[in-house]
Each structure stands twice: as structure tokens, then as C-alpha cells.
């Protein structure tokens, strides 16, 4: 989704010869009896912008803190550049972290905050100044170098934190909910700025977020986590279009989930019977599914068309009454109640002015979608 | 401004005038009079019935002889200096002892903190005098400490701690420890734990993270604690007179002796006035620091 | 201001007293009475007794000169009595209210008249000497068997003190006692009134001060009895009380009291009634109670001090009346001296000297 068209295809995860920068090998982390991370295996490649996505408490922060060295895995191995990190303390790791709270040192100026890590590094004294200036320029804070953190705005603090964590040119930058404290407008601007900086510096970024939109925007790959387990690791578009589970489909964006039984109709096509008096749903799937298997059919609202008459060329069409209309500016979401009481959401772009809208409450309409618009999910 | 408002503002001033200014003026007045064998033991005594003329003769008899006497006798200078020294050293020792306690408390689990806090405050529930007296039982030649050390064979003659400056330091450090622990704990407890992680992440060892981040950030607490110990220790009387020896020279003790042994109220009052002036300097510094702190937090 | 404050407090006390039974407030030296006498007084008279203690004349004088102490009977020593009489602190005694007055011993009354001409303001409670208390075994251990325990040299010779400091020495925190003794040690007049002579005591005391564990006027009783210290220059009865306590504790500490051969201060503690006593009638009853031959004998038997009551002597224990350390023989009596109070200027000079000696500055 966020991949600019001009960029050459960057997909080392598809290249069997590529060597991963970070490897989690069957990592488990327990806090007492509580299993925070449950047998996770991931490879993260150099220059990736990798997002860990999940609700709070899913273990994504723990995973990141293990990379930073603040927690040790209970079982399994974490490798950076092929070297086991187990006995490397946080201060000797070639990773840096940008904290959710920013963790700026309140007693030090912006300049001193950025220089803090450099002063603890073998960098010669004479090079520290220029490096700090460079970082200040990168985050456009040259004018605020002498200020203390409490004298600048939230957005500026966020950029100081970023500059500080980037100053040592780490192999891997960890970002813990980096934009969580910013308001929506600033957050969106900053997302693009982050991507820009990631590209400029060529640093590998690992971002932890609970905001799926943010993950989709910035990441080259997204890992969706739940209860300490990896559910799906894939590029944002595939996560969205081809979720591997109801959980992922539901977590990312808006979706209609329909429970039913699948019956093969040949050539990778299936008919899903789901309700008395409703036609079966025609859907495609690459997987072989035995007849009568209970499945979930997931379809995004924007993939569903809405019309007054039954369209002739669509594989699926159902009739219902408009129950509710949510106007979101650029789009409107229609909630349509079918004859059997099922509620289906359809989204339509508002390419016309509101006054000339075609449908209104209680109108009887047809909802239609192609047989490849949705996905069949087994779990 | 309505009456209620005036009353509200006037109340603290009225208290200050009644409880601080008036007693101070009385002490100041006595410090300008002279020792006499009479009741009360100084002259002149202001007699309100003598009227305005009487007041003028009364005023004409006051002078600064006692201050001249104090400045001319090096005993008092030495007592002030030695009090400053004892107070300063005690403050430093208290800081060194209190910091790890406060740090440990701030690091402890949430469920332990109230208990630890209680343990720090608990001694206040016992009379201060009894606590100081109990140190006599611990420190004296036949005391607890010497008995244990003798019993363990660490020493073969009792340590002479009682009635020395060492005992005074122990007494002051023990008594004022909570005043140091609590403000330091308050700043450490407020501190964001991720700051230490950030420091470690940026290349600090545990120890250098402490020096570069924890310690500077706890500075307001350290300064508050130091003032809270230093100011009362400077005028301390009970501890040096109970635990100290004849060489322990503290202005509080000198003041007591001027008053009770020499029965020279005027000189005792002059000593008190000077002590007050001396105490005002650190108090003003303390106020300034608090003010700066408040501004920084805004 | 101070005065009205104190009066107010006293008024409160008086009110509290009026609400309850009649009350007499006595301010005496610490460890200076057989406490069963206090109960006996209340039993006989029905008057509640509030009994507070002090351990220095200076402390008492501070209260007396501040006025409105709230006490009915106080016990100053001779020189202090004289000064406080001058200051108008006491009321003249009405002997008709003291039926037991006749029990007094003229030998003592005559000497006290030096401080209280005509014995108008006070009657004697106890008298004694200021001398040397030693833990004899420890002192001999440190100084050898020929330790000069009956000489001021034991205390005032730095060579002896240096050795004694190993086992601990207390001196009275009272310049009025210590300076005359130092002068006596030098062979000078202990009752000197001029600064020049008094100043000669300073180097003597300064030389020994570093070896003094503490200058204190009451702690030595326990310290001596416990074995915390081995020598003291203190009051006869207190040393003997320490002897008694050590014997009771059976801790192997053996205490002796010696009147120095160079002479010793003879002092008198006098019962007097403050001019502003809230309950003078009660005060008379208490003084008369203490003038009773049996009662004062019981007190002496308990505290090992001689009293000024001739009639009580037949009731004294043999270890009191027969001990020349308490009731000195005629020969020792001749060596005892008394002192007169210094004038305010000399007093200031002496107290400053005393502070300097104690603190080493």
C-alpha cells in the first residue's frame, strides 16, 4: 500500500539467499506463569521497516524489549547479524530504542540529549558536535538545540527522541509506539517523515504499534500478534487482502464475516451455504476444502457494490433494507439488513455531493460482489 | 476587597506576627539589656505604668554591649563555626546513609512501598528524647554495642563513643534520617524508569546511568533533604548535651548554658538573635531552590 | 510579656490545684530524699505533693529569677540562696508556723547565717562536703596501691588524670564547686573574690579538662555505681549513694568517698519558700514535716547526707552518724571551708572561664 511505485521491488524475505539481520528462533518468554511470548520465530532483514501490530498485552512490547536487552528470553535464541544476543547487555547492543514516553533526560538540553549516546561511544570528541548538528538538521530542530525538553512541544520532543536514538547509527532502531502521544494530523505527517528518514539513513526499523493504519502506512512488512503468538507476517497489502485468519481480517480494517459451510464447485471455487433462504456465496480459494467444512467468509465493505436493481454480471447478489448510513466524508458506510436479519456493511465512495445521494434510509437495495472479492478463512 | 478576603490574607500574617515577630522582638529587646540579680534577671524592665517618659528612659538604657561582648570573645565564633561544621558533616553523612535507603524504597515493589515508608516514619511515633536516651544505652562503655563487640572479640577495651563528637554525629544522623530519606524518595519515585533504560540503551552501564541520570534528577530531593537536616542540626541542643562530651561545642549548647548555667538572659538572647540570623541564610537559599524548582516544573 | 505568660501558666496551675485537692509543689535536687517520705507527707496532711527535681543550682536560680515558678518549696545551696534573697525571690519565714523549728542544729544554722543573716529565709535540709569519689579497685589498678585518693592531687594533677582517663572521670558541672577546689589545690584562698586570683584556677582545670569524660552534676551517681567511671569530684552523699547502689547490685564495684586533706567545701542546701509561692501554708507544712526528727533522719539514712537537725541524730543509722565522711570529726571539720557568692561581674568572668575550660576553647 505504502510502497511508492518508483521504488525497486524490495522483498528480501522472498529471497532464499538473503541473510536476515534479526532472527528470533523459537523464542518464549514467561513472567512467572504468564506466557508473554509463545514460541515465536521471525526473520527481519536489513533496511526493513518492520511493524509489530497487536492489541495491548499481545506481547509486542516484550518482543521489542528482548531485542533492546531489557528482558531475556526464557527459551530460544535471538540473533543479530548471526550473533547470539543472550549475554550482551543493553549498553553493548548495536540497537537503539525510541521510547513511547520518549524518555528524554529532563536535566539535559536537546543538544546534550542527542549527544548522550555519542559521548558513551568510542567516537572521537571532535566528531560528536558535527554528528549532533547533522541529527538536528535531519529532524529539523537546529534552532532548539539549547532548549530543555520541557521547553519544546510534544512533536518536537518526539523528533528529539528519534534523533537521539538514531545518532549512534544503530544497526536496528526500535520504535515503541513512537507516535502514540501525537494528535492525528501530526501523526500522519510524522509517519511520512519517519519513512523518509528510514529511507535516508538506511537503518532497519522495528516499530511496535497497536494502530493498524500506522502499521499499514509505514511498514514494509507487518507482523500481527495475539496472546504472545505470531498470527501472520506479511506485506501490508497481503495482510489486508489475504488475511490468514478471522483474527487478522477483523483486526485490520473493516470486514464482514459470514459463517457457513463450504462445498467445492470445481476449479478452486466453492459455494458457501450460510443461511436459510439466502443464496449460497460463490467464492474462490487456493486451498483444498472438503465438502461441508465450516468456514468463515470475509469480505471488505468497499468490495461490495450497492445498487437499486439486481446486477446481472455479479457472482453474488443479496437483497436488503438500508438500516443505517454512516457518513465519513470521503466515503459512506451503509448497513444493510437482509431478510434473515443478517447485517452486511457496504462502503461507497462519495464521488457526488451529499444532496444528490442515491439511497436513503429504508430503501430496498441489492448488494453484490464478485467471487474473488472475499476470502475463505479456515480459522 | 471584601472583608472575607482581607481576613483570609490577614490570618497567616497575624500568626506570623504573634508567633514569630513578637517573640523575636522580646528576645531582641532582652538582648539589648543587662544582667542583674533581680526578678527577672535583667535590667531595664519596661514598666508600662511609667508612660511615654518611662519608655524613653527605658530605650535610653538599651545598648549593644552584649553583641560587642559576643564578637569580642572567640568562644562564640568557635561555637558558631563548630556548629556549622557539625551540622555540615552530619548532613553529608545523613545524605550518604539516606540515599541508598530512598533508592531501595523507590526500586521496591509497589506493594512493599507503604510498608517501607511506614518503617522510615515509625520512629517518629516514639518520643525524640527517649530515642536519643536509648543511644546512651547502646553507645556507653557498658552499653549494647561495646558488649557485643567485646563478646565477639572484635575489641578488647570498650570503644569510647559516648560523650564524643562521634556520638553526636550518630545521634543527629539517626534523628534526622527520615527528613533526608523522604524528599529523596519522593523525587526518585516520581522518576520515569524508562530514563534509566534509555541511558543503558545509549551505552551507559548501570553505574554510569546512575551517575548521569538518577543522581542529577534526584538533585531537588537531595537539596531539600540537606536543608531539612542542616537547618535544625545547626541549632541542635538536645543531642549534643545528651550524647556529646565536654569538647562538643555547639551553639545550641552554648545558648543553653548562657541561659541556664550563667543565667545571663541578655547574652543568651544575643546568641539566639545571631543564631537566627545565621539560620535565615540557609532558609532563604532553601526557599529560592524551591521557587526555582516550581518554575522548572511549570 | 514573659512575666504575664508565666503568671498565666501559674494561674492555670493554681486553678487546676483548686479543682482537685490542696497541693504543694516541691522542687528539690535529684536523688535527695527517701521517696516513701513523700507518700507519708500526703498521708499525714492530706495534701497532694508534686515533687520535681533539678541537678544544678544554676537551673534552680534560672527558674527563681524568671519568677512565677509555681513551686512552693525549693532547695538552693548557700551562695545561691544569698543571691536569690538579694533578688527578692523568697519570703521571710514565719517561725510560728514551724513548730519543729527547735530541732535545728545551731552548729549548722550559725554557718548558714553567713548566707542568710539571722536565718530569716531558710532552714537547713542537708549539708555536706565536696570531695573525691573513687572506684577504689580500678583507681589502684591504674595508679597503683599508693594512689592519692585522699588528696586533690588525684584530680588536679594532670599526670594522675591522664591515667585515670582510661577508666573515666566525671567532674561536677559547677564552677562554684570546682574553682574553689582548684584554688585549694594551689594553696590559695578558696573563697577568693578577685579575678586575678580566680584566674589562677584556669590553667589547673584546663590541664585536666582533656581527661574528663564529662562535666555533669548528677550522672556520676549511676556511672560510678555501674563502673562506667572510676573517679569523680562530687558531692559526698551522691558518692555514698553510688556506693550503696553498687553494693546492692553486687557488681564488684567498690566505691569510697574521701574528704581531701587540702580541705573541702562545706555546703548547705536550704529549704526556702519562693516569694510568689501559690500555697505558702502548704509549704510551711512540708518544711515542718521535714523538720521532724524522724522524717529527716529517714532522709539522711537514705541519701547519706548529714542534716542540720540536732534532734534527728539519735535516729540516724550507725553507717551515717558514725561515718566521718558524712559527719566529719572535729579535726576534719577545721579543714572545711565555705564560700561567698561572687558579684555579677566576677560571676560572668568565672562562668566564661568555666565554659572555656569545659570546651577546650
Amino acid at each position: 500500500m505504502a510502497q511508492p511505485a518508483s521504488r525497486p521491488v524490495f522483498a528480501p524475505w522472498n529471497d532464499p539467499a538473503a541473510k536476515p539481520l534479526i532472527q528470533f528462533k523459537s523464542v518464549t518468554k514467561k513472567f512467572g506463569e504468564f506466557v508473554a511470548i509463545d514460541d515465536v520465530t521471525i526473520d527481519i532483514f536489513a533496511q526493513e521497516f518492520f511493524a509489530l501490530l497487536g492489541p495491548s498485552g499481545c506481547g509486542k512490547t516484550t518482543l521489542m524489549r528482548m531485542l533492546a536487552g531489557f528482558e531475556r528470553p526464557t527459551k530460544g535464541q535471538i540473533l543479530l547479524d548471526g550473533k547470539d544476543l543472550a549475554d550482551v547487555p543493553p549498553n553493548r547492543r548495536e540497537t537503539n530504542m525510541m521510547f513511547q514516553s520518549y524518555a528524554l533526560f529532563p536535566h539535559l538540553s536537546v543538544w546534550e540529549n542527542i549527544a548522550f549516546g555519542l559521548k558513551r561511544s568510542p567516537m572521537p570528541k571532535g566528531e560528536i558536535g558535527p554528528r549532533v548538528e547533522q541529527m538536528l538538521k535531519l529532524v529539523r530542530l537546529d534552532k532548539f538545540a539549547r532548549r530543555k525538553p520541557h521547553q519544546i512541544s510534544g512533536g518536537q520532543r518526539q523528533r528529539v527522541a528519534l534523533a537521539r536514538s538514531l545518532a549512534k547509527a544503530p544497526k536496528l532502531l526500535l520504535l515503541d509506539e513512537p507516535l502514540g502521544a501525537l494528535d492525528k494530523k501530526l501523526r500522519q505527517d510524522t509517519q511520512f517523515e519517519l519513512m523518509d528518514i528510514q529511507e535516508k539513513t538506511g537503518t532497519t526499523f522495528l516499530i511496535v504499534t497497536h494502530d493498524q493504519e500506522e502499521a499499514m502506512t509505514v511498514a514494509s512488512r507487518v507482523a500481527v500478534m495475539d496472546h504472545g503468538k505470531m498470527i501472520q507476517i506479511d506485506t501490508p497489502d497481503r495482510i489486508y487482502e489475504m488475511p490468514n485468519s478471522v483474527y487478522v481480517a477483523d483486526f485490520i480494517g473493516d470486514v464482514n464475516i459470514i459463517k457457513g459451510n463450504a462445498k467445492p464447485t470445481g476449479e478452486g471455487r466453492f459455494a458457501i451455504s450460510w443461511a436459510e433462504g439466502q443464496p449460497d456465496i460463490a467464492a474462490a480459494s487456493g486451498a483444498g476444502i472438503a465438502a461441508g467444512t465450516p468456514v468463515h467468509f470475509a469480505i471488505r465493505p468497499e468490495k461490495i457494490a450497492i445498487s437499486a436493481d439486481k446486477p446481472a454480471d455479479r457472482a453474488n447478489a443479496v437483497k436488503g433494507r438500508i438500516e443505517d448510513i454512516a457518513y465519513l466524508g470521503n466515503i459512506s458506510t451503509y448497513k444493510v439488513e437482509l431478510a434473515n436479519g443478517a447485517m452486511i456493511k457496504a462502503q461507497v465512495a462519495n464521488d457526488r455531493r451529499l444532496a444528490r445521494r442515491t439511497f436513503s434510509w429504508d430503501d430496498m437495495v441489492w448488494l453484490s460482489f464478485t467471487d474473488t472479492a472475499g476470502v475463505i478463512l479456515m480459522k | 476587597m471584601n472583608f472575607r478576603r482581607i481576613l483570609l490574607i490577614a490570618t497567616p500574617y497575624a500568626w506570623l506576627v504573634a508567633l514569630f515577630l513578637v517573640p523575636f522582638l522580646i528576645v531582641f529587646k532582652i538582648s539589648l539589656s543587662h544582667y542583674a540579680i533581680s526578678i527577672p534577671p535583667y535590667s531595664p524592665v519596661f514598666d508600662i505604668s511609667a508612660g511615654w517618659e518611662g519608655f524613653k528612659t527605658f530605650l535610653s538604657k538599651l545598648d549593644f554591649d552584649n553583641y560587642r561582648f559576643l564578637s569580642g570573645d572567640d568562644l562564640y565564633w568557635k561555637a558558631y563555626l563548630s556548629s556549622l561544621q557539625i551540622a555540615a558533616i552530619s548532613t553529608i553523612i545523613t545524605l550518604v546513609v539516606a540515599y541508598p535507603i530512598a533508592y531501595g524504597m523507590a526500586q521496591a515493589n509497589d506493594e512493599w512501598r507503604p510498608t517501607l515508608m511506614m518503617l522510615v516514619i515509625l520512629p517518629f511515633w516514639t518520643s525524640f528524647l527517649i530515642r536519643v536516651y536509648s543511644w546512651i544505652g547502646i553507645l556507653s562503655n557498658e552499653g549494647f554495642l561495646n558488649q557485643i563487640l567485646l563478646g565477639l572479640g572484635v575489641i578488647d577495651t570498650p570503644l569510647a563513643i559516648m560523650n564524643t563528637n562521634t556520638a553526636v554525629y550518630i545521634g543527629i544522623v539517626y534523628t534526622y534520617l527520615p527528613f533526608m530519606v523522604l524528599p529523596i524518595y519522593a523525587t526518585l519515585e516520581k522518576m520515569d524508569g524508562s530514563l534509566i533504560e534509555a541511558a543503558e540503551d545509549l551505552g551507559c552501564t548501570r553505574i554510569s546511568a546512575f551517575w548521569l541520570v538518577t543522581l542529577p534528577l534526584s538533585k531537588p530531593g537531595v537539596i531539600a533533604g540537606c536543608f531539612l537536616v542542616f537547618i535544625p542540626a545547626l541549632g541542635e541542643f538536645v543531642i549534643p548535651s545528651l550524647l556529646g562530651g565536654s569538647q562538643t561545642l555547639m551553639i545550641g549548647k552554648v545558648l543553653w548554658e548562657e541561659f541556664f548555667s550563667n543565667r545571663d538572659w541578655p547574652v543568651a538572647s544575643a546568641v539566639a538573635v545571631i543564631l537566627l540570623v545565621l539560620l535565615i541564610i540557609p532558609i532563604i537559599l532553601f526557599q529560592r531552590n524551591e521557587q526555582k524548582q516550581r518554575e522548572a516544573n511549570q | 510579656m514573659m512575666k504575664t505568660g508565666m503568671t498565666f501558666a501559674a494561674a492555670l496551675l493554681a486553678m487546676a490545684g483548686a479543682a482537685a485537692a490542696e497541693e504543694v509543689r516541691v522542687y528539690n535536687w535529684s536523688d535527695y530524699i527517701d521517696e516513701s517520705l513523700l507518700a507519708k507527707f500526703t498521708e499525714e496532711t492530706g495534701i497532694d505533693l508534686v515533687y520535681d527535681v533539678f541537678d544544678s543550682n544554676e537551673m534552680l536560680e534560672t527558674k527563681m529569677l524568671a519568677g512565677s515558678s509555681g513551686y512552693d518549696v525549693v532547695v538552693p545551696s548557700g551562695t545561691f540562696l544569698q543571691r536569690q534573697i538579694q533578688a527578692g525571690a523568697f519570703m521571710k519565714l514565719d517561725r510560728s508556723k514551724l513548730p519543729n523549728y527547735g530541732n535545728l542544729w545551731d552548729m549548722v544554722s550559725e554557718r548558714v547565717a553567713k548566707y542568710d543573716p539571722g536565718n530569716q529565709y531558710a532552714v537547713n535540709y542537708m549539708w555536706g562536703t565536696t570531695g573525691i569519689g573513687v572506684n577504689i579497685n580500678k583507681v589502684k589498678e591504674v595508679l597503683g596501691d599508693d594512689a592519692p585518693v585522699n588528696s586533690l592531687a588525684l584530680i588536679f594533677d594532670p599526670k594522675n588524670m591522664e591515667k585515670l582517663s582510661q577508666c573515666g572521670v566525671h567532674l561536677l558541672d559547677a564552677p562554684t564547686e570546682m574553682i574553689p577546689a582548684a584554688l585549694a589545690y594551689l594553696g590559695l584562698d578558696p573563697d577568693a573574690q578577685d579575678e586575678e586570683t580566680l584566674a589562677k584556677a584556669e590553667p589547673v582545670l584546663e590541664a585536666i579538662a582533656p581527661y574528663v569524660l564529662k562535666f555533669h552534676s548528677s550522672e556520676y551517681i549511676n556511672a560510678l555505681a555501674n563502673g562506667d567511671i572510676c573517679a569523680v569530684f562530687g558531692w559526698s552523699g551522691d558518692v555514698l549513694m553510688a556506693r550503696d547502689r553498687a553494693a546492692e547490685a553486687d557488681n564488684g564495684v567498690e566505691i569510697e568517698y574521701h574528704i581531701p586533706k587540702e580541705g573541702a567545701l562545706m555546703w548547705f542546701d536550704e529549704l526556702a519558700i519562693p516569694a510568689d509561692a501559690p500555697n505558702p501554708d502548704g509549704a510551711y507544712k512540708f518544711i515542718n514535716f521535714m523538720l521532724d526528727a524522724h522524717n529527716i533522719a529517714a532522709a539522711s539514712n537514705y541519701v547519706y547526707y548529714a542534716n542540720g537537725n540536732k534532734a534527728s541524730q539519735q535516729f540516724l543509722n550507725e553507717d551515717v552518724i558514725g561515718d566521718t565522711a558524712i559527719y566529719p570529726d572535729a579535726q576534719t571539720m577545721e579543714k572545711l571551708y565555705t564560700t561567698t557568692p561572687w558579684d555579677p561581674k566576677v560571676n560572668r568572668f568565672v562562668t566564661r572561664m568555666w565554659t572555656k575550660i569545659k570546651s577546650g576553647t
Side-chain angles (χ1 to χ4, degrees), chain A residues 65 91 96-97 107 168, chain B residues 194 197 200-202 204 212:
Chain A
R65 289 173 58 80
N91 56 321
N96 279 123
M97 180 151 168
H107 58 300
K168 289 179 85 174
Chain B
S194 64
E197 289 186 343
E200 284 185 47
D201 186 65
L202 291 167
C204 283
L212 291 166

Side-chain angles (χ1 to χ4, degrees), chain C residues 39-255:
Chain C
K40 189 179 172 201
F41 173 73
T42 303
E43 213 172 280
E44 282 181 11
T45 60
I47 300 172
D48 280 347
L49 190 62
V50 176
Y51 189 84
D52 292 343
V53 298
F54 58 90
D55 61 11
S56 79
N57 265 311
E58 287 81 0
M59 188 70 166
L60 172 64
E61 186 164 302
T62 304
K63 294 218 178 192
M64 286 302 106
L65 296 191
S68 307
S69 64
Y71 290 110
D72 299 305
V73 178
V74 296
V75 191
S77 307
T79 51
F80 287 84
L81 175 71
Q82 182 174 6
R83 254 215 306 249
Q84 288 155 36
I85 290 171
Q86 271 175 38
F90 301 118
M91 61 172 70
K92 279 190 183 168
L93 295 179
D94 177 355
R95 288 184 192 167
S96 69
K97 290 181 178 171
L98 298 170
N100 292 331
Y101 194 87
N103 289 343
L104 285 169
W105 187 8
D106 51 2
M107 186 286 283
V108 172
S109 300
E110 277 162 19
R111 287 172 199 245
V112 173
K114 181 177 178 186
Y115 309 109
D116 173 15
N119 299 105
Q120 292 186 82
Y121 289 92
V123 299
N124 184 259
Y125 177 60
M126 300 271 176
W127 60 275
T129 53
T130 309
I132 296 163
V134 286
N135 177 337
I136 190 67
N137 295 327
K138 275 206 182 162
V139 168
K140 281 187 174 165
E141 200 178 290
V142 172
L143 288 176
D145 284 345
D146 55 350
V149 291
N150 64 344
S151 164
L152 288 172
L154 183 83
I155 299 292
F156 291 99
D157 185 340
K159 284 202 285 288
N160 292 331
M161 275 295 279
E162 188 178 357
K163 290 178 188 153
L164 286 174
S165 68
Q166 296 165 32
C167 54
V169 182
H170 276 196
L171 299 186
L172 288 172
D173 185 10
T176 47
E177 306 275 350
M178 295 308 304
I179 287 166
L183 294 175
Y185 171 68
L186 292 173
L188 299 167
D189 176 12
D191 195 19
Q193 298 290 320
D194 60 305
E195 290 183 13
E196 198 187 329
T197 310
L198 288 166
K200 289 179 179 158
E202 186 179 335
V204 178
L205 286 160
E206 243 170 15
I208 61 166
Y211 307 119
V212 176
L213 185 61
K214 195 160 192 173
F215 290 88
H216 200 280
S217 302
S218 61
E219 276 181 16
Y220 67 86
I221 305 178
N222 279 327
L224 200 59
N226 293 341
D228 276 348
I229 58 171
C230 62
V232 65
F233 194 73
W235 291 307
S236 49
D238 286 359
V239 173
L240 295 170
M241 210 179 322
R243 177 186 72 184
D244 210 37
R245 284 187 192 173
E248 254 171 53
D250 197 18
N251 56 2
V253 174
E254 204 179 309
I255 310 287

Side-chain angles (χ1 to χ4, degrees), chain B:
Chain B
M1 248 196 317
N2 62 26
F3 179 70
R4 254 178 66 107
R5 228 178 123 71
I6 294 171
L7 196 71
L8 265 177
I9 294 171
T11 308
Y13 283 100
W15 279 117
L16 269 181
V17 168
L19 298 176
F20 180 78
L21 195 63
V22 169
F24 173 76
L25 287 177
I26 292 169
V27 169
F28 185 65
K29 184 213 83 176
I30 295 175
S31 77
L32 300 179
S33 56
H34 300 276
Y35 175 67
I37 298 181
S38 62
I39 301 176
Y42 53 84
S43 71
V45 176
F46 175 52
D47 183 2
I48 199 125
S49 60
W52 179 240
E53 279 308 308
F55 183 65
K56 277 203 287 193
T57 21
F58 165 74
L59 276 190
S60 67
K61 283 188 195 158
L62 297 178
D63 57 42
F64 286 89
D65 275 0
N66 294 313
Y67 292 93
R68 238 165 273 142
F69 170 74
L70 288 186
S71 61
D73 191 332
D74 63 352
L75 167 77
Y76 301 97
W77 293 115
K78 283 180 184 163
Y80 284 118
L81 283 177
S82 144
S83 297
L84 281 171
Q85 186 192 339
I86 290 177
I89 293 175
S90 313
T91 305
I92 292 167
I93 300 172
T94 313
L95 175 62
V96 170
V97 176
Y99 203 102
I101 298 176
Y103 188 78
M105 280 169 67
Q107 298 291 312
N109 281 339
D110 282 351
E111 67 239 54
W112 273 99
R113 282 186 197 174
T115 315
L116 291 172
M117 178 83 106
M118 185 60 82
L119 287 175
V120 170
I121 301 172
L122 203 62
F124 281 115
W125 294 5
T126 318
S127 152
F128 162 67
L129 267 179
I130 289 175
R131 285 184 285 134
V132 175
Y133 263 108
S134 61
W135 275 105
I136 298 177
I138 295 171
L139 297 178
S140 71
N141 278 2
E142 305 294 315
F144 218 57
L145 181 69
N146 276 315
Q147 294 293 328
I148 290 175
L149 291 179
L150 286 169
L152 292 175
V154 181
I155 49 172
D156 33 64
T157 48
L159 295 174
I161 301 174
M162 195 51 214
N163 298 325
T164 65
N165 277 1
T166 311
V168 175
Y169 288 129
I170 292 174
I172 293 179
V173 169
Y174 165 77
T175 306
Y176 292 109
L177 196 60
F179 294 109
M180 187 69 92
V181 171
L182 295 179
I184 295 178
Y185 167 71
T187 52
L188 287 177
E189 194 240 345
K190 269 193 309 199
M191 215 176 84
D192 180 0
S194 64
L195 290 176
I196 300 304
E197 289 186 343
E200 284 185 47
D201 186 65
L202 291 167
C204 283
T205 58
R206 287 270 164 102
I207 294 164
S208 60
F210 175 82
W211 281 109
L212 291 166
V213 179
T214 313
L215 201 59
L217 286 179
S218 58
K219 203 174 81 186
V222 170
I223 291 174
C226 284
F227 279 118
L228 287 177
V229 174
F230 181 79
I231 294 169
L234 192 58
E236 185 55 59
F237 153 70
V238 176
I239 297 169
S241 60
L242 287 182
L243 301 179
S246 50
Q247 321 81 339
T248 310
L249 190 63
M250 282 192 82
I251 199 66
K253 217 171 129 186
V254 170
L255 180 58
W256 194 91
E257 276 175 3
E258 284 299 341
F259 194 80
F260 289 102
S261 300
N262 299 352
R263 289 139 293 153
D264 192 335
W265 290 24
V267 167
S269 302
V271 172
V273 169
I274 293 176
L275 178 62
L276 193 73
V277 172
L278 272 188
L279 282 176
I280 279 174
I281 297 168
I283 290 171
I284 289 174
L285 288 176
F286 178 59
Q287 291 279 356
R288 280 236 186 114
N289 175 60
E290 292 280 285
Q291 185 72 27
K292 250 171 54 189
Q293 221 46 55
R294 266 198 298 278
E295 279 163 14
N297 286 338
Q298 271 160 13

Side-chain angles (χ1 to χ4, degrees), chain C residues 28-42:
Chain C
N28 197 357
W29 293 78
S30 57
D31 289 312
Y32 213 29
I33 199 163
D34 177 353
E35 300 211 350
S36 65
L37 286 170
L38 306 179
K40 189 179 172 201
F41 173 73
T42 303

